[in-house]
Amino acid sequence: MSLAGRSLIRVDDFSAAEMQHVLNVAETMHQRLHERQTMLAGSILATAFFEPSTRTRLSFESAMQRLGGGVIGFADATTSSAVKGETLADTARIIESYADVIVMRHPLEGSVKVAADYASKPVINAGDGGHQHPTQTLTDLFTIQRARGDLNGLQIGLCGDLRFGRTVHSLLAALGHYQVKVLCIAPPSLQLPERYRPPGVEVEQVQRVEDVLPDLDVLYVTRIQRERFPDASEYEAVKGSYRIDAALLEQSKPELLVMHPLPRVDEIAYNVDPDRRAAYFGQAAYGVPVRMALLALLLDAESSAGVPGPAPLAQPVEHHPRCPNPDCANRVEGYTEPQMLLVGPHQRRCLYCDLELTVG
Ligand code: NCD
């Protein structure tokens, strides 16, 4: 199985070996970052961003241009035909006739899967609501591997908004491939939803950073995702819950990695920036070589021959009921077919948004 022509919608679309292969190619891209490369000359990337972005969109565009390819797209959904009522399926079918690969970000969970289901070209998920953000995860893994060599044996603290933070959901799915201990540091209302807890990973929930900081190898901080709260008062109750600053870091290991997908609001103080433990700006920069590797592999300019692909789904899929999650693309885009994985006699898991529900 080759990565050429495939889409990346959720972390488990790629096997552990394929993820590592992307990271290995990213290492080569990183070494050659300032060489003029032409391996994607003649190819076009379309960026379709229905939500704000700085790093993800610009690092994809930079990656494509560094490999000699061209870029088209929009960064403001109000300038696309979505405002006229165009469906995601039609938008995807039109964009793919103008480009060779599509990168999409959209507020609905499962929205980028809809685009991939209707397009025949590779589609990359740059964030689908509060669900997943798999290319951020590749960047996060690359950052940890470059600093620490290996993830196995590490204690990783995930801090902040674990409920709506899509970068954390994807990262956790990937951590299932390693022997790590995960500490979920969040107030009770922002703790990790059960559906994002990967099987086989040791996960402990705590509320205070101070309680676990001395043991951590990685502290992955996230912004509280204000835009995803159904109710503003719920956000007001938890905003500012965490603030990592230089004084707090005195309790941590000297080789701790403080990571953040960015943008930060107030959860990491500026006085952490000069500390050698601050890894977040380097992490953002690694988005370019990682996305260069991904584009080169999906567009068949780099080989993935011999790398084993993911196992096929073990359980059957049923095409009812429609997903009840109001933020799921299957619910909102009425023409999409429900795709429910049979995870138990009465348990179903929506393949768009991962919601688990009981039927019958
Ligand atoms: C994140 C996102 O969009 O999910 N940003 C990013 O892509 N680096 C994190 C966030 O918005 O908080």
Side-chain angles (χ1 to χ4, degrees):
M1 199 175 193
S2 152
L3 286 167
R6 300 242 301 270
S7 289
L8 177 59
I9 306 301
R10 44 193 300 141
V11 159
D12 52 16
D13 286 335
F14 287 8
S15 67
E18 286 174 333
M19 301 248 291
Q20 189 54 51
H21 187 64
V22 177
L23 302 182
N24 296 346
V25 174
E27 185 58 45
T28 313
M29 294 295 183
H30 180 68
Q31 307 300 338
R32 303 181 54 195
L33 201 57
H34 298 290
E35 287 174 28
R36 194 173 292 266
Q37 297 197 63
T38 55
M39 64 167 76
L40 290 183
S43 295
I44 296 177
L45 162 72
T47 54
F49 278 66
F50 296 86
E51 272 192 349
S53 171
T54 302
R55 279 148 290 273
T56 306
R57 186 173 62 84
L58 295 183
S59 62
F60 262 114
E61 295 192 356
S62 170
M64 191 64 180
Q65 296 195 17
R66 284 198 184 281
L67 294 176
V71 180
I72 58 171
F74 56 86
D76 176 0
T78 60
T79 66
S80 85
S81 280
V83 288
K84 300 182 187 168
E86 187 164 62
T87 62
L88 273 167
D90 280 359
T91 303
R93 286 187 286 207
I94 298 306
I95 297 175
E96 76 161 341
S97 66
Y98 304 149
D100 303 291
V101 54
I102 303 172
V103 176
M104 186 183 277
R105 169 173 289 187
H106 191 280
L108 286 176
E109 301 180 19
S111 50
V112 189
K113 169 176 164 53
V114 174
D117 285 350
Y118 282 86
S120 50
K121 307 250 173 85
V123 178
I124 301 171
N125 182 3
D128 59 334
H131 182 229
Q132 285 225 13
H133 189 351
T135 69
Q136 179 66 47
T137 296
L138 289 166
T139 305
D140 299 342
L141 296 176
F142 189 70
T143 306
I144 303 174
Q145 283 194 358
R146 288 203 100 235
R148 300 300 299 264
D150 185 13
L151 272 88
N152 288 304
L154 300 185
Q155 295 215 29
I156 300 179
L158 306 174
C159 175
D161 189 347
L162 312 187
R163 177 175 166 201
F164 297 115
R166 57 192 174 198
T167 66
V168 166
H169 303 157
S170 285
L171 180 58
L172 267 162
L175 291 178
H177 299 314
Y178 304 92
Q179 300 298 316
V180 292
K181 178 170 179 191
V182 176
L183 289 308
C184 288
I185 310 157
S189 68
L190 297 185
Q191 266 297 354
L192 186 72
E194 199 51 42
R195 61 184 158 138
Y196 295 118
R197 185 187 279 252
V201 179
E202 191 186 343
V203 177
E204 197 180 307
Q205 303 196 343
V206 296
Q207 281 188 50
R208 284 164 35 98
V209 186
E210 294 80 347
D211 293 344
V212 291
L213 187 60
D215 298 324
L216 295 181
D217 300 294
V218 175
L219 176 62
Y220 189 99
V221 187
T222 58
R223 174 179 70 88
I224 298 186
Q225 311 276 298
R226 176 184 207 149
E227 67 278 24
R228 309 226 187 273
F229 282 76
D231 166 355
S233 65
E234 246 194 281
Y235 169 75
E236 292 299 320
V238 288
K239 74 169 191 203
S241 294
Y242 297 98
R243 185 171 167 84
I244 311 303
D245 60 17
L248 184 73
L249 281 191
E250 281 172 22
Q251 303 169 36
S252 75
K253 293 183 185 174
E255 69 278 15
L256 172 75
L257 292 179
V258 181
M259 297 175 63
H260 193 308
L262 302 178
R264 68 174 149 183
V265 182
D266 53 8
E267 54 283 347
I268 300 181
Y270 271 43
N271 68 8
V272 176
D273 298 353
D275 194 297
R276 66 186 191 90
R277 287 167 280 206
Y280 32 90
F281 291 123
Q283 180 186 357
Y286 286 149
V288 174
V290 167
R291 290 175 173 118
M292 287 168 79
L294 183 64
L295 291 170
L297 285 158
L298 299 187
L299 292 173
D300 207 13
E302 278 283 342
S303 166
S304 52
V307 182
L313 290 176
Q315 298 108 333
V317 175
E318 252 178 26
H319 298 293
H320 58 89
R322 188 162 292 281
C323 183
N325 173 2
D327 298 319
C328 176
N330 179 234
R331 172 104 242 143
V332 177
E333 302 268 315
Y335 56 88
T336 58
E337 193 178 44
Q339 297 181 28
M340 291 286 167
L341 196 65
L342 273 74
V343 290
H346 297 287
Q347 260 61 50
R348 303 288 181 268
R349 174 184 278 257
C350 174
L351 287 179
Y352 293 86
C353 72
D354 283 306
L355 184 82
E356 290 215 357
L357 60 152
T358 307
V359 291

